[in-house]
Amino acid sequence: MLSSVDLQLERLLIFSVLIIFFGVGFSGMLITFIINAVRKKQKNGLYYLLSFVIFGIIGLALATFYFYMILIK
């Protein structure tokens, strides 16, 4: 039987992953949008959705690598 502490830690991990993914993804998409707006290039919504997902995955990978390196020390 799971204790409530285990459930709270799992919820914390899920929320941390979601916050990192959406935060980095949105920041990267916003930077991409600003760069394209300054250059006056028209891109469709799929381009920005893909940049959101790619930046989010890269952010999760970097955060995972960072915490993995902390645990090894």
Side-chain angles (χ1 to χ4, degrees), residues 1-72:
M1 185 168 168
L2 293 173
S3 69
S4 64
V5 175
D6 291 336
L7 294 175
Q8 295 296 329
L9 289 176
E10 289 172 359
R11 185 187 306 175
L12 176 69
L13 180 63
I14 290 171
F15 283 150
S16 298
V17 167
L18 287 174
I19 287 171
I20 291 171
F21 179 80
F22 285 114
V24 173
F26 182 75
S27 299
M29 183 188 66
L30 187 64
I31 290 169
T32 305
F33 176 76
I34 291 171
I35 289 172
N36 286 330
V38 168
R39 291 183 177 177
K40 295 186 184 352
K41 290 186 178 181
Q42 295 294 325
K43 302 288 185 178
N44 59 3
L46 184 62
Y47 178 81
Y48 293 112
L49 180 66
L50 249 105
S51 69
F52 174 81
V53 171
I54 290 171
F55 278 115
I57 291 172
I58 290 172
L60 279 178
L62 289 174
T64 304
F65 180 70
Y66 175 75
F67 286 117
Y68 177 73
M69 293 306 288
I70 287 176
L71 289 175
I72 287 180

